[in-house]
Amino acid sequence: MFLQVDKTWKEIMRKVQRIPNAMRAATQPGLLETFQNNNSLLDQINKCLEDYLESKRLIFPRFYFLSNDELLQILAQTRNPQAVQPHLSKCFDAIKALEFGTVQDNRPSSGDRAKTPSQVQHSNDIIAMLSPDGERVALGKGLKARGNVENWLGLVEENMMVTLRRLLKASIQDFEVTDKNDWVVSHASQIILAVSQIMWCKDCTECLTTGTDKVANMKAALQRAIDNLTNLAAVVRQEIPKLIRNILGAKITIDVHLRDICSELVKKEVETVNEFEWLKQLRYYWDTELDNCVIRMSNSYYVYGYEYLGASMRLVITPLTDKCYLCLMGLCSSIWEVHLPVLLVLAN
C-alpha cells in the first residue's frame, strides 16, 4: 500500500515540476480523488503499524513506556543490540545501559601496514546491568541478545529478577559471617538495604518473642540500632568513592527510620508481635518455605518484586510516609490477591 501511495505522490510531483503553476497543478482532473484515496491508504497503513507495535508491546509490556518513534528506531535496527541502549532508561527505571561482552578483531588491515592495533567489537553476550549511579550488577551466564528484541529484553528482565533474588539470598548468608563494614560495601545497594531490613525485623521479632522482659529486649535492640548508625557515620566521614557514599547514605536513611521505630516500640512498651504498633510497620522477612523475600504490613503480604533500583539516594521516611505505605498496601491487598512487583518501589 505504501508503495502505491509513494508512486502516486511522485507522479503528481513530476507533473507539478513540468507545469510550475499552482492553479493548473491543483485543478488537474481526478487529483482530489487521488489524494482522498491516498489518505485512506495511509490511514490503513497507520492502523497496521499500530497493530504491529501493539503486538511487540504485548510481548514486552515495558515498550509501552516508549513512543512509537522510539520503538520503531529499535525495531528498525533489530540486528544491532546497541540500538536499545539509549532507550533502556525508559524501560527500566534504574538500568542506564547493558554491558556486552567483547571480541578481539586481530585481522591485519589491507595496505602498507602489516598489522594494526586490536579492535574491540561488542558480542551478543550480555554480562551486566549498569545503573545511572555507576553501580554494576553482573547477570547470569548464557544471556545473549539474539532474535527479536522484545524476546531477549524479556530474558533480561527475567534474569534481572533471578539475579537479584540469588544475590539477596547469598547476602543474608554473608551477613552472618562477614564484618559489617566489609559487608556493606561488598554488595549492591538494593541488596544491602533489603537484607538490613530483613535482619532488623528478625532481631526485633526475637526481642518480642524470647525472654521475659520484652521491653528490655527492645531497649537493647534500640541501642544496637544507635551503635550501628554511629559506626556508619564514622565510615561516611572517611574518604570513600562516590558510589559507596551513596550506598551508605541510603542505608543511613533507612536505619534512622528503623531506629525511630525501635524507639517508638520502647516508648509504647510493645511486648508481643501481635500488637498493632508492630504489625503496622513495613516488615521484611526471608520466608524459608517459599525460599523468597516477603514484605508484610498489617494484613498485607507481598513477595518482593526484585525490580532493580540502582544505588540512588532514598527519601527520608516520616510518619506520614508510613501512613501512605499502610493505606496503599492495604488498598492493593483488598483489590488484588497476587503479589505486585510495583510495590517494591513504594517499599524502598
Side-chain angles (χ1 to χ4, degrees), residues 147-158:
N148 294 333
V149 63
E150 66 275 12
N151 292 332
W152 65 260
L153 277 178
L155 293 177
V156 169
E157 179 183 30
E158 179 182 343

Side-chain angles (χ1 to χ4, degrees), residues 139-177:
L139 296 171
K141 296 181 180 180
L143 185 60
K144 296 181 180 294
R146 287 180 177 173
N148 294 333
V149 63
E150 66 275 12
N151 292 332
W152 65 260
L153 277 178
L155 293 177
V156 169
E157 179 183 30
E158 179 182 343
N159 202 284
M160 170 189 73
M161 297 178 179
V162 170
T163 298
L164 290 177
R165 179 182 175 278
R166 173 174 52 80
L167 293 176
L168 182 61
K169 185 176 181 179
S171 182
I172 291 175
Q173 299 171 351
D174 195 30
F175 183 89
E176 305 287 352
V177 298

Side-chain angles (χ1 to χ4, degrees), residues 100-108 116-125:
F100 286 83
T102 57
V103 292
Q104 296 290 334
D105 184 6
N106 295 318
R107 294 173 299 178
T116 59
S118 299
Q119 298 177 348
V120 178
Q121 297 180 345
H122 291 290
S123 68
N124 289 332
D125 297 314

Side-chain angles (χ1 to χ4, degrees), residues 90-132:
K90 289 188 176 181
C91 295
F92 299 91
D93 187 52
I95 299 181
K96 179 182 180 182
L98 293 173
E99 180 181 330
F100 286 83
T102 57
V103 292
Q104 296 290 334
D105 184 6
N106 295 318
R107 294 173 299 178
S109 62
S110 58
D112 297 335
R113 293 175 297 177
K115 293 183 179 181
T116 59
S118 299
Q119 298 177 348
V120 178
Q121 297 180 345
H122 291 290
S123 68
N124 289 332
D125 297 314
I126 302 175
I127 299 176
M129 49 188 177
L130 309 175
S131 78

